[in-house]
Amino acid sequence: MAAVPLHYVDLRAFCYATEDEKRVEDALRTYLPEEAEVERIENEGHHGDRILVFSARVENADGIRHVLDQLRGSADLDRVRDQLDDRVTENCELFLYLDKQAAFGGEARLGEGITLRAKVEAYPAKKESAVENVREIL
């Protein structure tokens, strides 16, 4: 694949007070290239509990290819392809929700815990064009 029809990929995971922050960051890093920087923001929940937000943005083509390679290992890929009309927005963004526990074990699977948002290149910038571009890369 010479060109990658994505402008960037954002990944985000929340770490609640009952979770080990190192494990949550490791789960997020399952999808990231080695050199990617993970930003860590500390927040407070409604009841005063600590919530950490780990996030990373991948913008270069090699890094995006790495993220896509991790996703291609998922057994859920056929399900994602079938749901592309629901997963791509009118703003040409792809959303996937990934299993945080599975990611900690090195496995890519749909679930909860990690949010992936990718800005899809589409000319013209229409949802239909974006869906086709995503279908080609998956």
Side-chain angles (χ1 to χ4, degrees):
M1 171 189 331
V4 180
L6 299 175
H7 293 289
Y8 58 83
V9 175
D10 287 331
L11 290 151
R12 182 179 66 201
F14 292 95
C15 178
Y16 299 99
T18 57
E19 295 178 301
D20 181 323
E21 60 188 80
K22 174 80 171 103
R23 290 176 65 131
V24 172
E25 183 176 349
D26 288 348
L28 187 66
R29 286 192 177 280
T30 296
Y31 295 100
L32 296 171
E34 256 183 60
E35 69 278 359
E37 290 185 31
V38 174
E39 183 178 339
R40 178 181 187 242
I41 298 173
E42 191 166 331
N43 287 311
E44 187 175 301
H46 181 70
H47 297 287
D49 52 324
R50 178 188 64 122
I51 300 173
L52 296 175
V53 181
F54 292 101
S55 61
R57 176 172 278 195
V58 180
E59 295 179 301
N60 66 42
D62 288 338
I64 293 171
R65 279 189 203 94
H66 178 83
V67 173
L68 291 173
D69 287 344
Q70 299 305 100
L71 291 174
R72 286 190 194 107
S74 173
D76 297 325
L77 213 49
D78 287 334
R79 193 166 114 205
V80 170
R81 285 187 197 104
D82 292 342
Q83 299 171 347
L84 282 179
D85 283 334
D86 296 328
R87 293 184 178 278
V88 176
T89 69
E90 294 295 330
N91 292 326
C92 301
E93 297 168 311
L94 168 68
F95 282 91
L96 296 176
Y97 302 98
L98 306 164
D99 188 314
K100 185 169 33 175
Q101 188 66 36
F104 179 72
E107 183 182 347
R109 187 169 57 208
L110 294 178
E112 296 180 5
I114 298 175
T115 302
L116 180 145
R117 179 177 74 102
K119 183 67 171 175
V120 182
E121 287 182 11
Y123 303 103
K126 303 262 187 224
K127 179 179 178 176
E128 297 78 25
S129 300
V131 167
E132 287 309 310
N133 284 345
V134 172
R135 193 177 310 282
E136 287 178 21
I137 61 173
L138 294 179

